[in-house]
Amino acid sequence: MADERIKLLVCSGAACTSADAEELKNALSDELEKQNLKDNYKIIETGCSGSCDFGPLLIIDPGDVFYVNLNPDAARRIVNEDFINGNTVEEFLYQSPETGEKLKTLNEISFFENQTKIALRNCGKIDPVRVEDYIHQGGYVALAKVLHDMSPEEVLEEVKKSGLRGRGGGGFPTGLKWEMTRNAEIRDDKGTKYVICNADEGDPGAFMDRSIMEGNPHLVIEAMIIAAYVIGSRQGYVYIRAEYPMAVRRLEAAIKYARDFGAIGENIFDSGFDFDLEISIGAGAFVCGEETALIHSIQGQRGEPRAKPPFPAEKGLWNKPTLINNVETFANIPTIILKGGEWFSQYGTDDSKGTKVFALAGDINHTGLIEVPMGTTLRSIIYDLGGGIAEEKGFKAAQIGGPSGGVLTEKELDLPLEYDSLLEIGAMMGSGGLVIMDNETCMVDIARYYLDFTQDESCGKCTPCRIGTKRMLEILNRIVNGEGEIEDIDRLIDLSKLLKQSSLCGLGLSAPNPVLSTLKNFRQEYEAHIKDRICPAGVCENLMLRKNKNNKAKAKESKEAK
Amino acid sequence: MKVEKQYQEKNTQTKEEKNLDKDKYEELKNVIQEYKEKEGSLITILHQAQKIFGHLPREVQIYVAKSLGIPLAEVYGVVSFYSLFNMEKRGKYTIEICMGTACYVKGSEEILKILKEELKIEPGEITEDGKFTIETTRCIGACSLAPVINIGDDIHGKVKGEEILEIIKKYE
């Protein structure tokens, strides 16, 4: 029987939790009790709703009334003024930064209005772990359909038709990967194959996978079972970083619920198909996001990558054929099955179908999580959804794809964001972290920051990566310290080429990208550091000269004033 | 004489510690028993061992290696590879400063500097009173709260400069 109580959705993502969402929830609960309204309302702790800047927040379903920046006192007022007297409490509604108008419901707000949600479809709307809530939103219907009405070939055909490409960064066609693993020669009598969900989201500035796992873990579980059915696997693993304890807890709970419900285990939905799922927790190594390194880590070894081929599709976990997909890739699958590959491919561009989740962070008004069709421009993301650059400073650059990616500048504001267009300009989709930077950011310092990261995270197995990143970092440190020589720029370019040609895995191959990309777009900043001993942005401490000193002081003042 | 006294002190200390350790080793023994037969469970066992002991000293690594019948080098190889495994003792609270891009852009380096000066330790070290360890950590995925500091189970977001000193005062 359907629950007819009004739902009070309290976001309990990491951002809202640290903004005391718990207190809000308790105050709501106490006040409802006090006013004898407990039977009419149901408080649900949801995963991240995406709008991290507005937390703690409350969404009232049905109606989608959206209250923001709440506290316990606000909760009591909402119960009394809104629930009892029917008057919306204007004070806690979202205020449009452009018009100053108070907006009552979710869909009036440009942050939500401009999104198309597939992977994030239920995030922020349901209790993440309870299977009933997921089912209420159409969950596990795709799995039932697959197991009872479709052959593995038919499912594969649908995934191929969708044009879905891997959302972890590389953009390899998902259907093709599934087909390769399905057709892989089986080496033992039992026909063992594995499905792995790569939830080792290590890119600094990215939190899409975390939010999906915290907000809707069943979506990923359902997709993994579907994938297992297609390739003929009976055992799956979710490899997740230890840095995401809440995601681990919710996933564990969701797996238990799914098992009780009969979606995991033997004879799933009376179809004769068996599948089990385990969690494997990482221990802090960025390189483990690389698939062969990840496999070694699940095997309990050092997370070092190995040369490919053979690809995991042929020789993966314990040398058995293994399918590895990223969290967001999996999160698209159930909807593709329900609505068809054709439907999915209506979104996006010719080469990049569907939607992409981006994590917006940095110097932007509305940070958080968004999902937009592939090919949406950076301008639209920053200004239509993100509410523009914070503190009325100018836009300088956006770093996309973390340490593997590059910077987008003003001239790329109207570039459609998709796999291939980004590669053409020397950037990369990566996992979809978008860090927006204003004009008080030093691009040489940013390049140095990324090299410091990759140098530290290089596993050390191959020499180009181990020593190459170290030398590049030394040069960049020299430059930001005011000891650079003009030849250093050529040295950086030479080393970059070497790394790109000879590294063993993606970490080393892409490590030079932030340097090359900043050099291409902001070469004059490098030259100012080297020739004039000036940091134009006033960030590098050893390069404080005349006017820059003022800049830095100003920047500091405005930061303190905040 | 001095040496003897030191030795005695050390000895009594280890005796107390030994009793405490005995329980811990018992706990670890159970963990290993549980996972022993499962292939590839070394990292899981080490996670548990670190939870029990607070860190992974050489003796614990030797114990794990012996119990699993694998070379110590293999255990050490794994412990030293992953940044979340610590071989040194930790403070009562570990202050983790997120060094993700968003946090970096929003000034996490400044906070680290303030903490280093105030607590007179470098990342990975422990304060004299044993209360704090500071640690830089990789992106914890709460980028909209940048800069983010994690102390124990608490996330502190949008920390501004000196504010961090007020925050750590609350930890006793």
Side-chain angles (χ1 to χ4, degrees):
Chain A
M1 208 178 73
D3 191 338
E4 280 168 10
R5 285 180 289 176
I6 294 170
K7 289 185 200 136
L8 304 178
L9 306 171
V10 178
C11 179
S12 302
C16 287
T17 302
S18 82
D20 293 328
E22 181 81 17
E23 276 183 22
L24 166 72
K25 196 198 80 184
N26 293 340
L28 260 181
S29 170
D30 292 347
E31 194 63 21
L32 287 172
E33 175 98 62
K34 203 170 134 195
Q35 305 296 347
N36 246 330
L37 289 171
K38 267 225 137 142
D39 296 338
N40 306 355
Y41 295 88
K42 183 183 177 192
I43 299 174
I44 295 174
E45 286 178 71
T46 72
C48 181
S49 63
S51 50
C52 302
D53 263 345
F54 310 146
L57 53 88
L58 169 67
I59 301 166
I60 301 168
D61 177 32
D64 283 344
V65 176
F66 189 62
Y67 284 119
V68 298
N69 301 119
L70 301 175
N71 54 43
D73 194 46
R76 287 186 277 273
R77 282 187 52 194
I78 289 169
V79 172
N80 287 294
E81 292 173 36
D82 187 339
F83 299 172
I84 296 180
N85 293 325
N87 302 321
T88 310
V89 191
E90 281 229 346
E91 195 182 327
F92 301 112
L93 291 178
Y94 170 83
Q95 185 170 21
S96 158
E98 293 98 31
T99 61
E101 192 189 352
K102 291 276 190 181
L103 302 172
K104 187 176 170 186
T105 63
L106 209 66
N107 295 325
E108 293 171 69
I109 298 163
S110 61
F111 182 85
F112 296 102
E113 193 190 354
N114 292 308
Q115 296 193 50
T116 307
K117 294 194 177 185
I118 298 174
L120 295 180
R121 63 173 197 196
N122 299 324
C123 282
K125 288 188 183 160
I126 58 168
D127 180 328
V129 296
R130 283 169 53 89
V131 81
E132 295 85 347
D133 285 40
Y134 180 58
I135 290 168
H136 199 67
Q137 304 280 341
Y140 289 113
V141 175
L143 178 63
K145 181 176 168 188
V146 163
L147 293 180
H148 292 297
D149 304 331
M150 292 173 88
S151 68
E153 290 84 359
E154 283 169 337
V155 181
L156 185 60
E157 205 41 52
E158 220 50 60
V159 175
K160 277 175 147 179
K161 220 190 277 171
S162 74
L164 176 66
R165 294 170 67 173
R167 297 294 193 246
F172 191 80
T174 305
L176 202 57
K177 204 177 202 178
W178 285 28
E179 190 172 41
M180 281 165 68
T181 328
R182 179 175 159 74
N183 295 340
E185 189 194 328
I186 295 169
R187 290 180 179 75
D188 67 7
D189 318 335
K190 291 184 209 143
T192 312
K193 285 182 183 179
Y194 296 105
V195 174
I196 297 176
C197 173
N198 183 347
D200 187 68
E201 182 177 53
D203 269 13
F207 50 101
M208 339 3 99
D209 294 349
R210 176 179 68 70
S211 302
I212 292 172
M213 281 181 299
E214 287 176 5
N216 198 0
H218 284 289
L219 187 63
V220 179
I221 296 171
E222 183 178 7
M224 287 182 74
I225 310 167
I226 294 171
Y229 175 73
V230 172
I231 66 158
S233 159
R234 294 159 55 103
Q235 177 66 45
Y237 292 88
V238 181
Y239 184 85
I240 183 167
R241 327 168 58 202
E243 288 91 335
Y244 287 172
M246 190 196 274
V248 174
R249 281 198 301 274
R250 292 205 175 150
L251 196 63
E252 274 170 349
I255 288 176
K256 194 181 163 295
Y257 271 105
R259 187 169 283 127
D260 291 346
F261 175 65
I264 296 178
E266 283 175 15
N267 191 19
I268 297 170
F269 298 165
D270 288 325
S271 64
F273 179 68
D274 309 336
F275 181 72
D276 214 321
L277 192 56
E278 255 181 64
I279 296 178
S280 183
I281 297 174
F286 176 67
V287 70
C288 287
E290 199 279 338
E291 50 187 11
T292 58
L294 185 152
I295 285 169
H296 290 145
S297 189
I298 295 186
Q299 293 177 174
Q301 300 153 338
R302 292 164 70 96
E304 287 172 343
R306 63 159 172 79
K308 293 188 282 192
F311 291 95
E314 289 188 305
K315 225 174 167 187
L317 188 63
W318 311 117
N319 287 326
K320 302 289 188 298
T322 303
L323 172 75
I324 305 187
N325 279 145
N326 160 267
V327 173
E328 192 189 330
T329 314
F330 276 128
N332 283 297
I333 297 292
T335 316
I336 288 174
I337 301 300
L338 284 178
K339 300 196 174 178
E342 196 99 10
W343 171 87
F344 184 82
S345 69
Q346 70 172 307
Y347 298 104
T349 62
D350 285 349
D351 300 315
S352 308
K353 300 291 185 195
T355 56
K356 177 79 193 85
V357 182
F358 290 102
L360 277 182
D363 303 316
I364 187 162
N365 277 322
H366 297 164
T367 55
L369 207 65
I370 55 161
E371 183 170 355
V372 290
M374 285 274 187
T376 302
T377 63
L378 184 61
R379 186 187 299 279
S380 171
I381 290 177
I382 295 177
Y383 296 98
D384 297 341
L385 290 107
I389 305 298
E391 292 171 52
E392 291 170 359
K393 288 173 205 154
F395 166 75
K396 183 167 185 177
Q399 172 75 24
I400 188 165
S404 309
V407 290
L408 304 174
T409 62
E410 218 169 352
K411 58 183 194 295
E412 273 96 34
L413 274 172
D414 292 307
L415 180 86
L417 297 184
E418 48 159 355
Y419 293 105
D420 305 314
S421 67
L422 286 169
L423 285 178
E424 271 166 34
I425 59 148
M428 187 175 157
M429 178 73 81
S431 54
L434 259 182
V435 181
I436 312 297
M437 302 171 196
D438 67 23
N439 44 27
E440 281 172 6
T441 316
C442 169
M443 299 318 286
V444 187
D445 184 53
I446 289 297
R448 190 199 63 81
Y449 164 80
Y450 279 113
L451 252 295
D452 185 49
F453 181 91
T454 42
Q455 192 271 135
D456 195 38
E457 290 292 344
S458 168
C459 79
K461 184 172 175 174
C462 77
T463 319
C465 179
R466 181 178 68 243
I467 298 175
T469 53
K470 194 161 179 67
R471 293 290 168 263
M472 287 179 79
L473 177 63
E474 282 167 2
I475 295 172
L476 288 163
N477 273 331
R478 271 210 308 269
I479 297 176
V480 297
N481 285 332
E483 294 151 4
E485 313 165 357
I486 200 67
E487 293 80 16
D488 279 341
I489 292 181
D490 287 334
R491 288 185 190 120
L492 281 174
I493 293 171
D494 284 349
L495 280 166
S496 294
K497 276 188 197 151
L498 190 120
L499 254 83
K500 277 178 159 295
Q501 280 164 2
S502 52
S503 295
L504 180 62
C505 82
L507 191 149
L509 293 170
S510 63
N513 287 354
V515 177
L516 292 174
S517 175
T518 47
L519 258 176
K520 187 178 123 200
N521 291 297
F522 297 97
R523 194 182 177 109
Q524 72 289 358
E525 259 184 62
Y526 279 83
E527 287 170 356
H529 280 72
I530 295 169
K531 284 191 203 155
D532 310 329
R533 305 279 189 244
I534 288 176
C535 172
V539 170
C540 300
E541 275 186 17
N542 290 348
L543 294 172
M544 297 306 233
L545 286 176
R546 300 173 308 270
K547 68 173 196 190
N548 302 296
K549 226 172 202 166
N550 295 335
N551 272 356
K552 173 80 180 182
K554 253 191 229 159
K556 222 178 164 184
E557 257 170 43
S558 78
K559 258 183 191 158
E560 275 161 12
K562 256 204 284 183
Chain B
M1 179 65 192
K2 209 180 162 192
V3 176
E4 211 169 275
K5 202 182 164 198
Q6 267 182 356
Y7 177 78
Q8 271 176 356
E9 265 177 15
K10 205 182 165 198
N11 221 17
T12 48
Q13 242 183 6
T14 46
K15 216 174 174 185
E16 275 172 22
E17 277 177 6
K18 255 182 191 163
N19 276 333
L20 193 72
D21 274 3
K22 219 180 132 193
D23 296 343
K24 290 181 178 172
Y25 276 109
E26 197 60 34
E27 216 181 320
L28 179 58
K29 196 176 151 191
N30 294 336
V31 169
I32 293 174
Q33 209 57 40
E34 190 186 337
Y35 290 102
K36 204 175 174 179
E37 299 305 317
K38 229 181 128 213
E39 231 178 339
S41 54
L42 179 58
I43 292 174
T44 314
I45 290 172
L46 291 173
H47 268 304
Q48 298 284 338
Q50 182 156 294
K51 216 183 253 172
I52 296 167
F53 288 88
H55 64 302
L56 296 169
R58 193 181 150 84
E59 299 75 52
V60 173
Q61 294 180 42
I62 292 172
Y63 185 86
V64 171
K66 273 190 180 159
S67 309
L68 293 175
I70 57 174
L72 172 64
E74 199 179 319
V75 176
Y76 176 78
V78 169
V79 172
S80 59
F81 183 85
Y82 294 98
S83 62
L84 294 182
F85 292 139
N86 313 299
M87 286 182 257
E88 300 299 325
K89 217 171 166 179
R90 316 248 89 191
K92 187 174 169 196
Y93 300 104
T94 300
I95 307 172
E96 294 176 323
I97 299 129
C98 181
M99 284 289 161
T101 323
C103 291
Y104 184 76
V105 171
K106 291 270 188 176
S108 54
E109 193 117 289
E110 177 73 19
I111 294 167
L112 176 63
K113 210 172 125 194
I114 294 171
L115 276 174
K116 284 203 291 197
E117 277 166 17
E118 174 72 18
L119 300 173
K120 299 185 185 64
I121 48 171
E122 290 294 312
E125 293 176 356
I126 179 170
T127 49
E128 244 181 49
D129 59 4
K131 199 159 134 190
F132 293 114
T133 296
I134 48 176
E135 200 68 82
T136 56
T137 184
R138 291 304 176 214
C139 185
I140 60 164
C143 310
S144 47
L145 293 173
V148 178
I149 313 293
N150 221 9
I151 307 179
D153 284 335
D154 309 332
I155 301 173
H156 301 273
K158 300 188 178 169
V159 178
K160 280 169 209 119
E162 304 274 327
E163 217 179 87
I164 185 65
L165 300 179
E166 291 302 311
I167 294 174
I168 61 168
K169 267 187 202 155
K170 291 180 206 150
Y171 289 84
E172 278 312 315

